[in-house]
Amino acid sequence: MIDGLRREFPEAFAVARRVPNPRFARASPLWAVLAAFGAGFFVSAVVTIIFSLLFRSTTRDTPVPTPFEVARLAGTAASLAVAWIAGGRSAVAGYVGIVFLERLLGLQSQLRFCAAYGSDPNLAAGGACTIGGYVIALWPQLLGAALAFALVRWLEAGPGDRNPTLEAAGAFVVVQGVGGSVLNPVLGPATAGDTLWPLMIMLVAVVAGIAMGYTILRRATRQWRSLGIVAFVLAAEFAILSLPTFVSQILLARGTNLMGPFDLLEYFSSFFAIAAAALVLYISAARKVASPESA
């Protein structure tokens, strides 16, 4: 198949050969796992934004994958490939273990949903309430894992012992993902007008931002640059993907109590995370400035 495409599109393959191979530094398993999640974050965000802009009219009835499914596929492939390049088998095992933990923590929510709506034939998501449907829904991750084998051949190990921007993004993703997965079994299902859920989501975002800030302090030399890259991607995701939904819900909730002040703040949880990370960097910089003066 690849040989046939190469014969049909020789110019495209010639351009691809001129693209430099991305390089990632080898690191200890912990940092390699965080770099893997960071790579998945960046790739998934870019793919989601691009495909959302290209296929805004796509619905569940359209026989093509949704932007989020394509992004999950690409993000999984990038994560596993970077984990292998940066940390080898131990990093791949760590990445898979954290993904499995998030799935396990989210199982209670899945079972609760299936108990309430799984028998509804008019609900498309009800198909995920069977074992076969649940496995089929994992096709982006499974195909992404297969694609990672080919992607590893394109990536290369580079100099150094750290990938600071990827590790910072990975710390944010891991803390937010695991923390968000814990909320459902601890708090139970969210209800309209609930104040605890949006507050806890904001708290998880702030903790994730603090983790990102401390990772940048420990691993990055150009700290504000690393934070700026992650913040730019988070802001772009919000502006292109979340903001239209936010505006539509505001319009629908006008004159009702379905959209409270805490729900409004929840939509901006990513910016609270960015602010928390920036505060960590600012406090560190202020201490460095103050320490020579006190001495």
Side-chain angles (χ1 to χ4, degrees):
M1 178 180 178
I2 298 297
D3 293 335
L5 291 174
R6 186 179 289 109
R7 288 192 297 269
E8 291 292 333
F9 306 101
E11 296 84 0
F13 278 87
V15 172
R17 282 194 297 268
R18 288 195 292 268
V19 175
N21 296 52
R23 295 175 178 269
F24 300 94
R26 296 192 181 278
S28 64
L30 171 62
W31 299 114
V33 169
L34 293 181
F37 277 98
F41 162 77
F42 284 113
V43 171
S44 178
V46 171
V47 171
T48 303
I49 290 172
I50 292 175
F51 277 79
S52 296
L53 294 175
L54 292 177
F55 302 105
R56 284 193 178 275
S57 61
T58 300
T59 64
R60 293 304 307 178
D61 298 329
T62 307
V64 295
T66 65
F68 296 100
E69 289 173 331
V70 178
R72 200 175 302 123
L73 186 158
T76 300
S79 295
L80 288 172
V82 171
W84 178 263
I85 294 295
R89 294 180 180 178
S90 57
V92 172
Y95 171 81
V96 173
I98 293 176
V99 172
F100 179 78
L101 176 62
E102 291 183 9
R103 282 278 176 178
L104 187 63
L105 292 173
L107 188 60
Q108 182 178 350
S109 174
Q110 179 78 14
L111 293 175
R112 188 185 298 119
F113 171 83
C114 292
Y117 305 105
S119 59
D120 188 351
N122 299 319
L123 195 63
C129 294
T130 63
I131 296 179
Y134 184 82
V135 173
I136 292 175
L138 296 177
W139 73 264
Q141 289 93 330
L142 298 177
L143 188 56
L147 182 61
F149 286 98
L151 190 58
V152 163
R153 299 181 179 181
W154 183 48
L155 306 181
E156 294 181 357
D161 62 347
R162 59 192 63 195
N163 305 282
T165 304
L166 295 184
E167 293 163 1
F172 172 79
V173 170
V174 170
V175 173
Q176 189 176 52
V178 175
S181 299
V182 170
L183 289 183
N184 206 294
V186 172
L187 300 181
T191 57
D194 189 1
T195 60
L196 185 59
W197 258 98
L199 285 176
M200 293 305 296
I201 290 176
M202 286 178 54
L203 177 61
V204 169
V206 169
V207 173
I210 293 173
M212 176 171 59
Y214 275 107
T215 302
I216 292 174
L217 282 179
R218 183 167 180 179
R219 303 290 287 177
T221 54
R222 303 174 67 179
Q223 297 170 353
W224 289 102
R225 176 178 177 272
S226 294
L227 177 59
I229 293 173
V230 180
F232 174 79
V233 175
L234 288 173
E237 276 193 303
F238 176 82
I240 297 175
L241 304 177
S242 299
L243 188 59
T245 303
F246 169 72
V247 173
S248 64
Q249 290 196 10
I250 287 291
L251 295 177
L252 290 174
R254 184 183 300 173
T256 70
N257 59 355
L258 296 179
M259 182 70 71
F262 294 109
D263 297 303
L264 295 178
L265 293 177
E266 177 192 342
Y267 267 97
F268 296 91
S269 58
S270 296
F271 294 94
F272 284 97
I274 296 171
L279 183 61
V280 170
L281 298 187
Y282 174 78
I283 292 175
S284 176
R287 286 178 177 177
K288 290 180 181 179
V289 171
S291 57
E293 296 179 354
S294 61

